[in-house]
Amino acid sequence: MTDASRPEPTVVVVGGGLAGLTAARDVMLAAPGTRVVVLDAADRVGGKLRRAEVGGHLVDVGAEAVLALRPEATALLADLADPHDVVTPTTTSARVWSRGALHPLPRTRVGVPFADSVVAGLLDEAEERRMRAETPAPEVGDDVSVGEYVGARLGDAVVERLVEPMLGGVYAGHARRLSLRATMPGVWEIASRRGSLLEPPPATSGSSSTASSAGAASRPPFAGLVGGVGRLADLLAEDVERR
C-alpha cells in the first residue's frame, strides 16, 4: 500500500544550462514520477549556450559545435534531435590567421604539433628550430599551466601561434592560466611519463587529444545542429517538460 498523505519526492536542480537540464532529465529517466524543479536566475534556459540575431540571421553566440569525438554530447543529440538536423563541418579545414595571412592548421594534439607537422609559415625558421629542438621533459608535479609547460618544452611561439588559438576557442581562456591536466589530458599523460610532446598519436587513436585538421582525422571532430547548436538547450528543455 502507498501512503496517500506522503508528498511525492521532489528534486531541485540549480541551474538551467545544459548540465542542469541534463541532470533533471537523468533524474526523470532514473526515477519516473519524481517531481523535478529547475531553478535559474535567467529568463531562459541554456546558460552560456544561446542564439541571437546577427545581421538578420539567428546564429550561435555561445558554443558553435560539440566535440564529436566524445560520446556524451553526440548521444544527447541522437536522443533529442532529428537525425537529419545533426551536421558536421566537412567543406573546409581550420586555418590560423598569423603574420598577415591564413595558414592551414597543421596536425596537432590540441595545438601541440607532431614531429611531422608542417608548421612553415605559422612559425618562422628560428621558431621551428626551437620547436624541433624540444627541451627535455621536466617533472610536472601535481599540475602546471599549459602555456608554461608547452612554452618551456617547444618555445613560446608554439604557445602563441598554435596552442592559444585552439584553447581560446574551446575554453575562452589564456594558455598560461589554464590547467594542463584539466584541459589537455593527452598532453598531460605524455608530460607525466616525461615523453616527447612531438610524438605522433597511436595509429588507431580516436581520442579527443589527437583531434586536428588538415586531413588528420578520418571523421569530423565536431558536430552541430541545423539552425545552431544553441537549439540543443531548447530541445532538452522540451524533453524535460514532456517528462
Side-chain angles (χ1 to χ4, degrees), residues 69 109 114 200-211 216-219:
L69 301 178
R109 182 183 282 107
F114 302 121
T204 58
S205 173
S207 128
S208 63
S209 66
T210 62
S218 60
R219 53 178 174 159

Side-chain angles (χ1 to χ4, degrees), residues 164-230:
E164 284 279 17
M166 291 286 284
L167 288 188
V170 176
Y171 295 104
H174 297 290
R176 298 186 186 279
R177 300 180 67 182
L178 291 172
S179 157
L180 181 70
R181 188 171 190 172
T183 63
M184 300 175 74
V187 177
W188 170 257
E189 186 275 327
I190 294 171
S192 298
R193 58 179 168 80
R194 303 182 74 174
S196 169
L197 294 187
L198 300 177
E199 68 181 39
T204 58
S205 173
S207 128
S208 63
S209 66
T210 62
S212 62
S213 64
S218 60
R219 53 178 174 159
F222 301 105
L225 282 171
V226 171
V229 77

Side-chain angles (χ1 to χ4, degrees), residues 54-213:
V54 177
H57 299 278
L58 197 60
V59 300
D60 286 313
V61 291
E64 298 174 338
V66 301
L67 192 61
L69 301 178
R70 295 283 304 215
E72 298 88 350
T74 52
L76 193 59
L77 287 175
D79 281 351
L80 299 174
D82 185 310
H84 296 97
D85 281 354
V86 180
V87 294
T88 55
T90 57
T91 59
T92 188
S93 60
R95 294 176 180 267
V96 178
W97 178 265
S98 178
R99 295 188 165 101
L102 280 174
H103 303 272
L105 183 67
R107 294 177 65 245
T108 70
R109 182 183 282 107
V110 198
V112 178
F114 302 121
D116 62 353
S117 296
V118 178
V119 296
L122 268 170
L123 304 182
D124 63 26
E125 292 183 3
E127 292 165 346
E128 183 172 355
R129 283 197 301 271
R130 169 66 183 90
M131 180 197 88
R132 299 194 185 283
E134 184 178 14
T135 302
E139 293 282 355
V140 292
D142 292 333
D143 202 357
V144 66
S145 82
V146 172
E148 177 186 350
Y149 185 78
V150 176
R153 296 291 307 277
L154 305 179
D156 290 336
V158 171
V159 176
E160 295 163 3
R161 299 186 182 276
L162 286 167
V163 176
E164 284 279 17
M166 291 286 284
L167 288 188
V170 176
Y171 295 104
H174 297 290
R176 298 186 186 279
R177 300 180 67 182
L178 291 172
S179 157
L180 181 70
R181 188 171 190 172
T183 63
M184 300 175 74
V187 177
W188 170 257
E189 186 275 327
I190 294 171
S192 298
R193 58 179 168 80
R194 303 182 74 174
S196 169
L197 294 187
L198 300 177
E199 68 181 39
T204 58
S205 173
S207 128
S208 63
S209 66
T210 62
S212 62
S213 64

